[in-house]
Amino acid sequence: MTSAARRLAGPAAAAAVAAAVVGYVGAVDPNQAGHYPTCPFLFLTGFYCPGCGSLRAIHAMAHLDLLTAVDRNPVTVAAVPLLLWTWLRWTRRAARGRARTWAAPPWAVWSLLGVILGFWVLRNVPGLEWLAP
Amino acid sequence: MSTDGPYPPSAPEPEPGTPSWPAGGQQQPPYGGPAPYGQPGPAQPPAYQQQPGAYPAGYPAQPVYGPPAGPPPDNFLVWAILSTVLCCLPLGIVSIVYAAQVNDKWLRGDVAGATESARKAKQFAIWSAGVQAVVLVLIGIFYIGIFALALGTASTAP
């Protein structure tokens, strides 16, 4: 194995795992009860967590049904381009054999925290059912 | 606690009354312990008045230090996002807080603080994944139990 191939093993493995997960969730429908366990947080508290609906969103995205995906969990859909972008940068760094020199601006990470916390609260508020899964 | 008799008031005693954090401050010689949200400006030796309840809103007011040279520590933000938004356990929220601290401290030049926050971010990402796996296995066992029970009753039925 050349050194470039060895460096690219990480991104390749991540892509393979992601493809396997999307393939599985796309094939085994989370809309049917009993296919997947319930979200532990929902199970224990009765409130939605920020990740509730993500399996159904992934299933919808695997079937290219973006509208349904946004209906189930808009933040999951929004996370996909972010994760793809991160993966692309990681792959490019790995291919060139460079270390990471860029750190996201702190306000962006704090905003992400705010978005997720706000989403968590708001999707449990009556009247904002479009945010609930 | 506040027996400042023998010490001159300006003596930099490590954290007399500040709310110290679990296991904070064992690897950080100059500063007592990392304040929860990265308050003390880096590279300011005499600045020991950590505001206890200070929140991240304070950071623009801090003097700006450039980021250090070299690669920044990994903040494990991707794992935090995966566990909070693409899966099911909100423990990843804590991970995001530490991830933000990593970048915050790093870009202000606080290498030791950033490394410490990176360690915590990693720890919480691992815990989050571990707890998630355990809970899912428990729920799986619960379902399999119900399923087996249903099968058992079904097979005894005529």
Side-chain angles (χ1 to χ4, degrees), chain A residues 103-107 110, chain B residues 31 35-44 51 54-69 72 100-114 117:
Chain A
W107 62 262
W110 289 120
Chain B
Y31 311 105
Y37 289 95
Q39 268 310 296
Q44 293 178 311
Q51 305 106 319
Y55 260 72
Y59 68 79
Q62 298 287 327
V64 178
Y65 290 87
Q101 280 187 19
V102 172
N103 291 19
D104 213 330
K105 292 177 178 175
W106 178 261
L107 291 177
R108 281 193 275 144
D110 181 4
V111 178
S117 292

Side-chain angles (χ1 to χ4, degrees), chain A residues 18-75:
Chain A
V21 168
V22 171
Y24 184 84
V25 176
V28 180
D29 191 353
N31 294 293
Q32 286 184 16
H35 279 174
Y36 299 91
T38 313
C39 162
F41 185 77
L42 180 63
F43 188 80
L44 292 174
T45 66
F47 290 105
Y48 299 125
C49 85
C52 280
S54 54
L55 278 176
R56 282 166 285 168
I58 293 170
H59 177 81
M61 281 190 279
H63 291 268
L64 303 177
D65 185 357
L66 211 59
L67 283 180
T68 307
V70 171
D71 240 21
R72 296 290 85 81
N73 193 326
V75 174

Side-chain angles (χ1 to χ4, degrees), chain A:
Chain A
M1 205 146 81
T2 69
S3 62
R6 200 176 311 125
R7 286 197 308 264
L8 284 170
V17 170
V21 168
V22 171
Y24 184 84
V25 176
V28 180
D29 191 353
N31 294 293
Q32 286 184 16
H35 279 174
Y36 299 91
T38 313
C39 162
F41 185 77
L42 180 63
F43 188 80
L44 292 174
T45 66
F47 290 105
Y48 299 125
C49 85
C52 280
S54 54
L55 278 176
R56 282 166 285 168
I58 293 170
H59 177 81
M61 281 190 279
H63 291 268
L64 303 177
D65 185 357
L66 211 59
L67 283 180
T68 307
V70 171
D71 240 21
R72 296 290 85 81
N73 193 326
V75 174
T76 297
V77 178
V80 170
L82 188 69
L83 291 172
L84 266 180
W85 180 65
T86 307
W87 183 83
L88 281 174
R89 290 178 62 102
W90 179 28
T91 309
R92 196 179 59 182
R93 263 197 330 267
R96 295 178 182 171
R98 299 217 184 119
R100 191 163 59 91
T101 53
W102 185 80
W107 62 262
V109 189
W110 289 120
S111 313
L112 178 74
L113 177 69
V115 166
I116 292 178
L117 286 178
F119 178 58
W120 189 357
V121 172
L122 290 180
R123 68 189 323 209
N124 286 295
V125 172
L128 293 172
E129 277 78 14
W130 64 279
L131 284 174

Side-chain angles (χ1 to χ4, degrees), chain B residues 145-158:
Chain B
I146 287 181
F147 187 63
L149 213 67
L151 264 188
T153 37
S155 62
T156 52

Side-chain angles (χ1 to χ4, degrees), chain B residues 81-128:
Chain B
I81 292 174
L82 286 176
S83 76
T84 48
V85 179
L86 269 81
C87 198
C88 36
L89 227 75
L91 199 60
I93 292 284
V94 187
S95 241
I96 302 182
V97 172
Y98 285 123
Q101 280 187 19
V102 172
N103 291 19
D104 213 330
K105 292 177 178 175
W106 178 261
L107 291 177
R108 281 193 275 144
D110 181 4
V111 178
T115 312
E116 177 64 14
S117 292
R119 197 180 61 78
K120 295 229 161 70
K122 181 181 186 177
Q123 216 169 57
F124 266 92
I126 291 171
W127 284 349
S128 179

